[in-house]
Amino acid sequence: MSKKNKVTITSTDDFAEVEADLSSAMEMLDGANARIELLLQDQNKPEAEETDVPPSDDSETTVTETNA
């Protein structure tokens, strides 16, 4: 039979530090995502208000064609 070597595993605090850094980064991303969501909602508000108003009967709609 072969001789088995004893393996010693040492635990360090490196993973705890990495976990804290990752948590901090995730919080920053959540904040950025929240700000982006608010900006997008503000951008969509004028469009939503325009589509809610029906066009008047005396207005003319012009259509322009573009050649791509």
Side-chain angles (χ1 to χ4, degrees), residues 1-32:
M1 293 196 107
S2 65
K3 182 179 177 184
K4 294 184 180 180
N5 293 333
K6 186 175 182 179
V7 177
T8 305
I9 298 175
T10 57
S11 178
T12 63
D13 292 334
D14 292 342
F15 292 119
E17 185 177 331
V18 169
E19 180 68 28
D21 289 343
L22 287 174
S23 294
S24 175
M26 289 298 291
E27 288 175 10
M28 289 172 42
L29 283 174
D30 287 342

